[in-house]
Structures are given as C-alpha cells and as structure tokens.
Amino acid sequence: MLDIAVTIKDVAKLANVAPSTVSRVIADSPRISEATKRKVNEAMGKLGYHPNLNARSLASQSTQTIGLVMPSSGDVVFQNPFFPTVLQGISEGAHEKKYALHMTTGKSEKETLEAVVEMVQGKRVDGMILLKSKVEDKIISYLLKRNFPFVLIGKPYKNVEEITHVDNDNFRAMQEATEHLIMQGHHQIAFIGGCLELVVTVERLLGYERALRNAGIELKNEYIIHEEFLREGGQEAVKELMSLENPPTALVVVDDFMALGVLNTLDELGISVPEDISIVSFNNVLLSEMVKPPLTSVDINIFDLGYQASKNLIQRIENSNEPIKRIIIPHKLIERSSCCHLKNK
Amino acid sequence: MLDIAVTIKDVAKLANVAPSTVSRVIADSPRISEATKRKVNEAMGKLGYHPNLNARSLASQSTQTIGLVMPSSGDVVFQNPFFPTVLQGISEGAHEKKYALHMTTGKSEKETLEAVVEMVQGKRVDGMILLKSKVEDKIISYLLKRNFPFVLIGKPYKNVEEITHVDNDNFRAMQEATEHLIMQGHHQIAFIGGCLELVVTVERLLGYERALRNAGIELKNEYIIHEEFLREGGQEAVKELMSLENPPTALVVVDDFMALGVLNTLDELGISVPEDISIVSFNNVLLSEMVKPPLTSVDINIFDLGYQASKNLIQRIENSNEPIKRIIIPHKLIERSSCCHLKNK
DNA sequence: ATGAAAGCGCTAACAT
DNA sequence: ATGTTAGCGCTTTCAT
C-alpha cells in the first residue's frame, strides 16, 4: 500500500512552526493567529495531510465513535425492516455530530458480551447503543458497573431509573390499538405476539389486557399466542385459533411481517380480511401499505428511535453530567383497510 | 466513567516480567516459556486486563477493522432487504476472522468521499467494502490511486481487471429469467428496472435483450421501463405499459419490492397474475414467498455476496500479494406461482 | 527466553 | 501566541 504517511511533524516543518501549533490549528484553537492558521492550513493542503485518528484517540482518550452490536445472522430481526431503519436513524444522529459507528456481531450471548468488553475496554468507542434488553441482561450490568455511557432502545427490565432509554409507550400503543377494535364493536380480540422474554412483548400484552378490562371484556387464554413465526410455526397457531368454538373477530399482531403471515394463513382458510376478521398490526413499514388489504398499523417511528438514541448518547458522552433520561417516541395508528366494524348478527 | 485503565505495565509488574514479555504473551509468541505464559496470563486475569486497541493499532499499523459506507438515509436501497442482508453477510465474514466493522454515512457524493478519506488516511480501517459502483466513481479512483485494499460488491464500470469484486452474473441471470418466460410461450415481455446509471441495471437489460434476440423476438422500446419506484411514479409507468396497443403478457422486474408494487397496480387495473400476465422478479427475499401470488424470483444470494466480499477483502489485507479476483456468486430461479404458460388464443 | 528502549502520531500541560 | 516536553499504551528491534 502506497503510504507516504504525512504526519503533523512534516506539516510543522513545512509551515515553520512547532507540532503543537499544528495540533492547535486542527482543533481550531482560538489562541492562534489568523496568519499562522493560514500558513499551517496551506502546508496541510500541500502535503495532503490527514490526522491519524488512532494516535489522536490514544492521546485524547476519545474516539468520536459509537459502538453497536448487531443481531447475529440467525436472528429473526434481520428478516424485518426494523433493524435497517433503526440503524439508519442511529447513523443519521451520529453523522450530524460527526461520529462514526463501530459494529460487531456475537453469535451467542457470551460472544456478544465479549464483543462489548472489547469495544469498551479496548477503547474503540465512546459510548454504546443497545438494541434490545433481555430480562437478565449481562451487558447492561457490565456497562452500568463500569459507568460507561450507553443508551438502550427499548425498556430496561430493571434499573429503569439508572438507564437512559428511548422507547415507545408500548403499553398505550397496544391499548389504543385494541380500543380501536373495541370501538368497532369487536369483543373477541386475539393477541399475536413474539417472545415473552422481550420486554416489549410484555408491555404490549399488558396494554391489550388493560383495554379489554376497561371495556369489561373477559380475557381468554386461548386468545393469546406467542410465536416467532414469519414461518410455519405461526400457521398452526392461527389455524388453531380460528378453529376455536368462539373464534376471534379481530386480531392485534405485533409486527407487520407477522401480520402478512397471518393474512396468508387466513386466506388459505378462506377467511377474508376485513369482512370476516379485522387486523391491526405494528410498525407501519412500507410493506403494510403495499399488501392486500393494506394494513391498519401502529407507526412507532422506528427511525426516530434510532435517531434519538444516538443523539442523546452523544450528549451524554460530551457531558458526563447529562441526566438519565427516558425518551418516549410518539406512536400513531395509521388506519387502512384491514379493520372494519363488526357486523351485527 | 470509572476507569482503572489497567495497562500492560501493570500486568508486567504483577507478573514480574518486562512489558515486552507481556506483549509477546498476548501475541502468543512461540519463544516465551510456558511457565511465564502462565504467569502472565494469570496476572492479566487478576487485573482484568484488556489491551488498548488504539495503542495497538498505532504501534502495529493495523486495525482489524473493515470500513463501510452506508447508503444515506434518503436512499431507496434502505427500503429494501438488500442492505441488511448483505450487511449480515459482510458481518459474518468479518466476524469469522475477528474483524470489526466501521461505518459512516455520506449525504452527498462529496461527503461520502470525505468519509472514505477519513477512514483510510485516518487509519481507522485496514480495508473497505464498497456497496455499489457508479459510472464515474471517485471513491474507486481514490482507493486505486492509494493502492488501498478494497472489494466492490457489484461490477466495476471500468478498470475491471484491477478491482477485486464479487457479483452475480447479472447478464445470464436476466437472460435465463427471460428465457423462462419465453419457454412458457411468451413473446411480449416487458422489462421493469431501476436507474440506468447502475451497472447492474445495464447488465440485466443486456441479458433481457439477448434472450429476446436469441429467440428471434423483436425488441420494443415501449417495453422497457426505468423507475425508482416502490412508489407512485411506477404506477403510472405500469398503467401506460398495460394500455399499449399490444400490452405485454409477461414482465421481468428487477426487484421483489418493485414487483409487489406492480402486483398492486395490476390488481387495480383488474389484471390478474399469472392468468393474464406472468411475472419474474429478482432477489427472492422472504416477501416473495409471502405475497399473493408467490413470486417466481431469481435468488441472487445476497448474503453470500456480502460474505465473500469480507472474506476476500481480509485475505487481501493479510496478504498483499493476493491476486485480483472476480468472484461470481451463483443465482437460481425459484419457481412459484406468478408465471404460467401463455394460453393460446 | 527475556529485558531495555525507541518509536507509532497525536494531545496537552507547562513554559515563555 | 507559540514552543518544549512528556506522555497515551502498545509493538518491535536490538541487546543479552
């Protein structure tokens, strides 16, 4: 590799100043005369100088970089537009403050923790963004113990008061989605959600239950389904659900992609949406308006989740007195054609 | 931030050896006695030592990191599973060799180039992966000029012999897709593709034309459409196409998401797939099997595109004599229900 | 097999 | 306003 490796010394020599002066010009220090600034800048231009960021990071103990752990290859989340969209938001927020992103993957929980330790203690990043919290989260414990800046996207399972996090009000979002169906006359509403170890699932389930209780509707266990699906497993679940003695007339589904799977299964069963059954789903990704019927979906503003995460992380990085925050990103029910009033029988 | 910053010196002191010895143990140098290795490892464990990677990078002139420029927020590619999937592949390949990823975004071409220069000259990365090549690509020129290791995903517009790239045989892939339709009796086949400035579009268009020519079918300009769509623009295009005097009986579409848009427009027009018109699309993302009708789609193995890119980049990084390569990832036509034999009239 | 010492290229006190 | 100098924490000759 061609590498003329121009250093600060070369610039200093050419401009006839000390290396520290060059350093100050780079940092745009106020106490350098305009004259020498010009002189130095000229020299930098001539030599095609670019600072060695490793050296800078080493000396200044800061990297202008945010760390991220990607979901591992096998993870379902990858099939889903959530990850790219939140990444886009994170990237945007970082870019605005001239921060870069540093990412690694972990295939197991153990590997993931190691990756985080390497980033943190290896001093590769100034802060971290966590994409989900697990019930007993070692990464969070680790970061908390070291008092290392991080923000969580989602709601922490514990230590809520000590963790800056950006999240939706998933409880209310789901409550409102359910109420939307109730107002359309539905009483038999089933819940189709993901893994119960994820805090978001728990919150939404609670919101669903609250809406039913408020309306004086009895909760039924058979109406609650947890599936990773996007795949076969879910089909069975839906079939069972629909062959109950009293099948639901409406469904809340926690993800548009899942909803698409449900849609297909219903179609196979000869059940039509929204005539026979109404559906509200979540995320409002592009897909939801392209599918048939277009899905009524709760927009949780995924991009903003990421954007606020990096923005607030950087604030915390640059000011260690920044208080712990909980940032709630607004959601909005987008009505399309997958719901309708229950026909009176 | 709590930071006890254990350094190599602390370990050395505790183990009663010189810092250089510790360094050798970390590098697992063969000329250190097993005894001291044990001693040093023990000391590292006791102190919770982790090497400072910036210091290491500075001293060793290597980062074990791969650079990447993300498509900017506005970019269409973000709406599409291509990016996350290829990223997943890249990440997997990097992870296997213990490389991390470093990413930034650029909002304009100028910013993007600056981001690359910062990574390269700032010595933040050992090599780069480029996600697309433009016709006159300044980034490629820059990397080539500096002789900096990089691999391109896609086909270079020029300097093909000097650039390691991983790509599909897009010409053949599209030729085969078109031939598939021809074998089903279709003669009136339209092409719906993206921006002509992307090399991939050009290649596929050529493959389409070749297939038609080989079959002695006349090419019609009205049958060729270029749209970014996923959105309104495309709808119009499809409507015009279908109101031609001789509308096509089959469509090749370069992307599953686009195909979904087309499907919707056709539905509005009361045209049914595959009865009235057949469709072959590209990418074979999860969506294509969930949509109705399930799409016949060319699987281009997006994950592998990314995986091979990082794998080969790392080979090049670790051995500067590694030859320039062209890696062709196989494609495969996955037949589903969006195509059928043309009914004889 | 191990130690001593000189950098890697930068920042930041401290001097002037 | 600018120069001098001492690190940041590691790797790597060169000694021994």
Side-chain angles (χ1 to χ4, degrees):
Chain A
M1 206 192 79
L2 171 107
D3 206 350
I4 333 97
V6 181
T7 78
I8 216 171
K9 280 185 186 168
D10 303 319
V11 177
K13 209 166 286 172
L14 182 60
N16 254 309
V17 295
S20 52
T21 302
V22 177
S23 178
R24 287 184 188 109
V25 173
I26 295 170
D28 200 28
S29 156
R31 36 186 224 175
I32 293 285
S33 74
E34 286 306 317
T36 49
K37 270 188 191 172
R38 242 195 315 282
K39 210 168 52 178
V40 170
N41 279 317
E42 201 175 298
M44 298 202 308
K46 242 177 212 157
L47 298 174
Y49 170 78
H50 271 268
N52 180 321
L53 300 178
N54 290 314
R56 174 184 288 178
S57 292
L58 181 58
S60 68
Q61 312 274 34
S62 108
T63 60
Q64 298 265 114
T65 301
I66 290 175
L68 212 59
V69 179
M70 299 213 312
S72 79
S73 300
D75 205 312
V76 251
V77 78
F78 245 119
Q79 304 288 3
N80 201 297
F82 183 89
F83 175 70
T85 308
V86 79
L87 181 58
Q88 197 180 351
I90 290 171
S91 170
E92 176 81 21
H95 184 69
E96 281 179 11
K97 297 287 183 184
K98 297 190 182 292
Y99 275 66
L101 261 36
H102 184 96
M103 323 198 331
T104 44
T105 324
K107 294 182 105 61
S108 61
E109 265 188 61
K110 184 161 159 290
E111 270 192 22
T112 308
L113 180 57
E114 278 166 11
V116 171
V117 172
E118 174 136 332
M119 282 192 221
V120 171
Q121 315 226 24
K123 298 254 171 26
R124 277 257 190 260
V125 302
D126 295 338
M128 298 244 3
I129 293 180
L130 266 35
L131 289 182
K132 60 183 173 190
S133 59
K134 292 197 306 287
V135 165
E136 204 53 59
D137 201 309
K138 299 207 170 169
I139 295 179
I140 291 184
S141 316
Y142 169 77
L143 295 172
L144 236 29
K145 191 181 69 199
R146 291 194 71 87
N147 192 22
F148 190 82
F150 76 101
V151 356
L152 172 68
I153 294 181
K155 190 182 175 184
Y157 180 70
K158 57 180 193 180
N159 305 108
V160 191
E161 308 302 326
E162 305 167 40
I163 298 172
T164 289
H165 57 283
V166 10
D167 196 9
N168 302 104
D169 187 341
N170 280 302
F171 177 86
R172 296 218 43 166
M174 183 55 99
Q175 184 182 344
E176 288 168 17
T178 311
E179 282 167 353
H180 177 73
L181 291 166
I182 294 174
M183 284 192 307
Q184 295 191 323
H186 295 277
H187 281 212
Q188 322 206 152
I189 304 173
F191 173 99
I192 302 186
C195 168
L196 250 185
E197 289 189 15
L198 292 176
V199 181
V200 52
T201 308
V202 178
E203 294 278 303
R204 290 191 184 162
L205 185 54
L206 290 172
Y208 160 82
E209 293 177 349
R210 165 69 63 85
L212 294 187
R213 276 212 192 82
N214 282 355
I217 299 172
E218 181 201 2
L219 296 178
K220 296 186 192 174
N221 270 330
E222 328 74 279
Y223 274 11
I224 297 177
I225 294 183
H226 294 286
E227 283 290 350
E228 277 308 336
F229 68 73
L230 294 171
R231 289 291 180 178
E232 293 72 22
Q235 295 216 0
E236 292 313 308
V238 172
K239 282 179 187 164
E240 270 181 48
L241 187 64
M242 297 312 295
S243 55
L244 288 175
E245 198 171 342
N246 286 306
T249 64
L251 260 35
V252 288
V253 185
V254 300
D255 177 279
D256 291 328
F257 254 80
M258 273 203 192
L260 177 54
V262 172
L263 235 37
N264 283 337
T265 309
L266 292 175
D267 186 65
E268 275 179 38
L269 298 174
I271 299 172
S272 41
V273 179
E275 292 77 8
D276 302 328
I277 192 165
S278 289
I279 296 185
V280 177
S281 74
F282 270 74
N283 290 6
N284 190 37
V285 298
L286 189 55
L287 177 76
S288 56
E289 55 178 295
M290 301 186 77
V291 102
K292 284 181 30 194
L295 294 167
T296 291
S297 182
V298 179
D299 190 334
I300 59 168
N301 237 316
I302 301 176
F303 179 93
D304 229 36
L305 243 23
Y307 179 76
Q308 291 296 336
S310 57
K311 202 176 142 175
N312 283 278
L313 174 59
I314 292 170
Q315 284 176 13
R316 166 61 228 284
I317 289 171
E318 299 188 340
N319 169 19
S320 60
N321 289 323
E322 198 71 19
I324 303 294
K325 292 181 212 155
R326 152 183 304 194
I327 296 130
I328 300 299
I329 304 294
H331 57 265
K332 191 177 173 198
L333 185 82
I334 308 293
E335 296 193 49
R336 296 204 183 84
S337 329
S338 63
C339 298
C340 70
H341 276 270
L342 185 64
K343 293 177 204 76
N344 296 320
K345 300 186 178 178
Chain B
M1 206 191 78
L2 172 106
D3 206 350
I4 333 96
V6 181
T7 78
I8 216 171
K9 281 185 187 168
D10 303 319
V11 177
K13 210 166 285 173
L14 182 61
N16 254 311
V17 295
S20 50
T21 302
V22 178
S23 177
R24 288 186 186 107
V25 173
I26 295 170
D28 199 30
S29 158
R31 37 185 225 178
I32 293 286
S33 74
E34 286 305 317
T36 48
K37 272 189 191 173
R38 243 196 314 284
K39 209 169 52 178
V40 169
N41 279 318
E42 200 175 298
M44 297 202 308
K46 241 178 213 157
L47 297 175
Y49 170 77
H50 271 267
N52 180 321
L53 300 177
N54 290 316
R56 175 182 288 177
S57 292
L58 181 58
S60 68
Q61 312 276 32
S62 108
T63 60
Q64 298 264 114
T65 301
I66 290 175
L68 211 61
V69 179
M70 300 215 309
S72 78
S73 300
D75 205 311
V76 252
V77 78
F78 246 119
Q79 304 288 1
N80 202 296
F82 183 90
F83 175 70
T85 309
V86 78
L87 181 59
Q88 197 181 349
I90 291 172
S91 172
E92 177 80 20
H95 184 70
E96 279 179 11
K97 297 287 184 182
K98 297 192 185 291
Y99 275 66
L101 261 35
H102 184 96
M103 323 198 328
T104 44
T105 324
K107 294 182 104 61
S108 60
E109 265 189 59
K110 185 161 158 288
E111 271 193 20
T112 308
L113 180 57
E114 278 166 11
V116 172
V117 172
E118 174 136 331
M119 283 193 219
V120 171
Q121 317 225 23
K123 299 252 169 27
R124 277 259 191 257
V125 302
D126 295 339
M128 298 244 3
I129 293 181
L130 266 34
L131 291 182
K132 59 182 173 190
S133 59
K134 291 197 306 289
V135 166
E136 203 53 58
D137 202 308
K138 299 206 168 172
I139 295 180
I140 292 186
S141 316
Y142 169 77
L143 295 172
L144 236 28
K145 192 182 67 197
R146 291 194 73 88
N147 192 23
F148 190 81
F150 75 102
V151 358
L152 172 68
I153 295 181
K155 190 181 175 187
Y157 181 69
K158 55 180 195 181
N159 305 108
V160 190
E161 308 303 326
E162 305 166 39
I163 298 172
T164 289
H165 58 283
V166 13
D167 196 8
N168 302 104
D169 187 342
N170 280 301
F171 176 87
R172 296 216 45 163
M174 183 55 100
Q175 184 183 344
E176 289 168 18
T178 310
E179 282 166 353
H180 178 72
L181 291 166
I182 294 173
M183 284 191 306
Q184 295 190 322
H186 295 277
H187 281 213
Q188 324 207 149
I189 305 173
F191 173 99
I192 303 187
C195 169
L196 250 183
E197 290 191 14
L198 292 176
V199 181
V200 51
T201 308
V202 178
E203 295 278 301
R204 290 193 184 160
L205 185 55
L206 290 172
Y208 159 83
E209 293 177 348
R210 165 68 63 87
L212 295 187
R213 277 213 191 82
N214 282 354
I217 299 173
E218 180 201 3
L219 297 178
K220 296 185 191 174
N221 269 329
E222 327 76 279
Y223 275 10
I224 297 176
I225 294 184
H226 294 287
E227 283 290 349
E228 276 311 336
F229 66 73
L230 297 169
R231 290 292 181 177
E232 293 72 21
Q235 295 218 358
E236 292 313 309
V238 173
K239 283 179 185 164
E240 270 181 49
L241 187 63
M242 297 313 293
S243 54
L244 288 174
E245 198 172 340
N246 286 307
T249 64
L251 260 35
V252 288
V253 185
V254 298
D255 176 280
D256 290 328
F257 254 81
M258 271 202 194
L260 176 54
V262 172
L263 235 38
N264 283 337
T265 309
L266 292 174
D267 187 67
E268 273 179 40
L269 298 174
I271 300 172
S272 42
V273 178
E275 292 77 9
D276 302 327
I277 192 165
S278 289
I279 296 186
V280 177
S281 73
F282 270 73
N283 290 4
N284 189 36
V285 297
L286 188 56
L287 177 76
S288 56
E289 56 177 295
M290 301 186 77
V291 102
K292 283 180 27 196
L295 294 166
T296 291
S297 183
V298 179
D299 190 334
I300 59 167
N301 239 315
I302 301 177
F303 179 92
D304 228 36
L305 243 22
Y307 179 77
Q308 291 297 337
S310 57
K311 202 175 143 178
N312 283 278
L313 175 59
I314 292 170
Q315 283 178 12
R316 167 59 228 282
I317 289 171
E318 298 187 341
N319 168 19
S320 59
N321 289 324
E322 197 71 18
I324 302 295
K325 293 181 211 154
R326 150 183 308 192
I327 296 130
I328 300 298
I329 304 295
H331 57 265
K332 190 177 174 199
L333 184 82
I334 308 293
E335 296 192 47
R336 297 205 183 82
S337 330
S338 64
C339 297
C340 71
H341 276 270
L342 185 63
K343 295 177 203 76
N344 296 319
K345 298 187 180 179

